[in-house]
Amino acid sequence: MTVIYIDTLFLLNALVDYLLLLAAARLAGEPLRRGRFALGAALGGLYAVAIFLPGMGFLAHPLCRLASAALMLLAAYGGSRRLLRQGVLFLALTCAFGGGVVAIGLLGGTGLALGNGVFYSALDLKVVLLSAAVCYGVITLVFQRLGRHSAASGELARVRLRLGERWTDLTALVDTGNTLADPATGRPVMVAEGERLSGLFPGEHRPSPADLRDPASALARLGTGEWRARFRLLPYRSVGVDRGLLLAVRADALELDGQGRGPALVALSPTPVSDGGGYQALIGSADKM
């Protein structure tokens, strides 16, 4: 008779769910909200434990499984504009992982088993935790390489900006989900890390990190004299921000992969725009810049 320990059952399923949630987010190109992923994984672990409790066998019904998966996905990805895409990726990865477990079992492996739709192990808890840590490292390395954007695929573009007589070079991600536009002209707006553009500004008109976090006060302080027409406030909406403001500056020239696109409005982000630092700006459709 197989003995299933509650603590091992919870930790094993929570760790597996965390890795799957993390992998799906990486594939979808979403921000890695690890706290949200941990919450979703904890719900998955609790569901795995509940199935084996006396009188709770009804939780193994497909509708209950579907409701549990939906709750876990909402906890991990709720508010994301790519919720459906991440959910599909999560389910695909779960099926692939489950298939791998079955294959290992057919080959004679006895360390990890699949029962009632959840994972359990007869191994010592320390061995389970060590194995999960190794899997986490391998999956992180693999998906960092798979999810890395490249110029060859058309996802990254070389950008040069000119403000007065000063130039700066950036790498931008072509993000079709970025629909930020200049309300006056309708042209797309590039979002760049504000601190990376500090070299474009003379000292008295250079936005500080505090200015980027408080754009309204920054506009009053920096937008004086001949710079009054350069700075402006740009309203935006994003996940978790219903109504926000960004400090924006009108650059004299923008070059995209060596092609001049004329003047452009650039929004100054107070935070990094990429998770790993592979790019410093976001643009929408490159054809409309």
Side-chain angles (χ1 to χ4, degrees):
M1 181 179 69
T2 301
V3 178
I4 299 176
Y5 296 95
I6 294 297
D7 55 352
T8 302
L9 181 66
F10 172 79
L11 280 175
L12 179 59
N13 282 272
L15 286 169
V16 169
D17 287 338
Y18 179 87
L19 292 176
L20 293 173
L21 291 168
L22 176 65
R26 286 187 181 278
L27 282 176
E30 284 289 294
L32 304 183
R33 296 186 287 269
R34 299 178 189 274
R36 296 280 299 272
F37 299 164
L39 174 61
L43 291 175
L46 290 173
Y47 173 75
V49 170
I51 286 181
F52 287 93
L53 295 178
M56 303 296 285
F58 68 92
L59 290 176
H61 190 278
L63 289 179
C64 293
R65 295 186 188 280
L66 183 62
S68 172
L71 182 61
M72 183 167 60
L73 291 174
L74 286 174
Y77 305 135
S80 170
R81 65 178 181 233
R82 298 190 179 104
L83 177 60
L84 180 60
R85 179 182 180 186
Q86 288 180 283
V88 171
L89 286 170
F90 174 79
L91 293 177
L93 289 169
T94 300
C95 291
F97 191 83
V101 170
V102 173
I104 291 174
L106 292 175
L107 291 174
T110 59
L112 189 64
L114 183 65
N116 277 349
V118 300
F119 299 101
Y120 62 90
S121 173
L123 296 175
D124 181 79
L125 181 58
K126 293 180 181 179
V127 177
V128 173
L129 293 175
L130 179 60
S131 300
V134 172
C135 289
Y136 177 83
V138 171
I139 289 179
T140 298
L141 179 62
V142 169
F143 281 103
Q144 277 181 343
R145 292 184 176 275
L146 291 178
R148 187 171 296 162
H149 301 285
S150 67
S153 65
E155 294 177 298
L156 296 182
R158 293 178 294 106
V159 174
R160 296 195 74 203
L161 287 174
R162 179 173 66 83
L163 194 60
E165 300 301 322
R166 304 184 184 194
W167 288 86
T168 192
D169 297 311
L170 299 169
T171 300
L173 172 68
V174 180
D175 179 12
T176 55
N178 174 25
T179 58
L180 190 63
D182 185 346
T185 65
R187 289 187 61 189
V189 173
M190 184 175 79
V191 181
E193 296 175 10
E195 293 191 37
R196 291 298 300 263
L197 301 186
S198 60
L200 287 175
F201 301 91
E204 66 274 18
H205 294 287
R206 180 174 301 155
S208 66
D211 289 327
L212 299 176
R213 293 190 296 269
D214 186 5
S217 298
L219 180 64
R221 186 179 75 85
L222 301 172
T224 59
E226 63 181 9
W227 285 76
R228 182 184 301 274
R230 284 196 181 274
F231 285 109
R232 60 177 297 179
L233 295 179
L234 191 66
Y236 75 99
R237 297 179 63 183
S238 65
V239 176
V241 180
D242 184 43
R243 296 179 181 177
L245 290 174
L246 289 172
L247 183 66
V249 63
R250 187 164 296 281
D252 294 311
L254 180 148
E255 291 183 3
L256 190 61
D257 285 333
Q259 297 182 359
R261 301 300 176 100
L265 191 63
V266 181
L268 307 180
S269 171
T271 57
V273 297
S274 72
D275 181 59
Y279 48 91
Q280 306 83 42
L282 298 172
I283 59 176
S285 175
D287 296 334
K288 297 180 181 180
M289 289 297 297

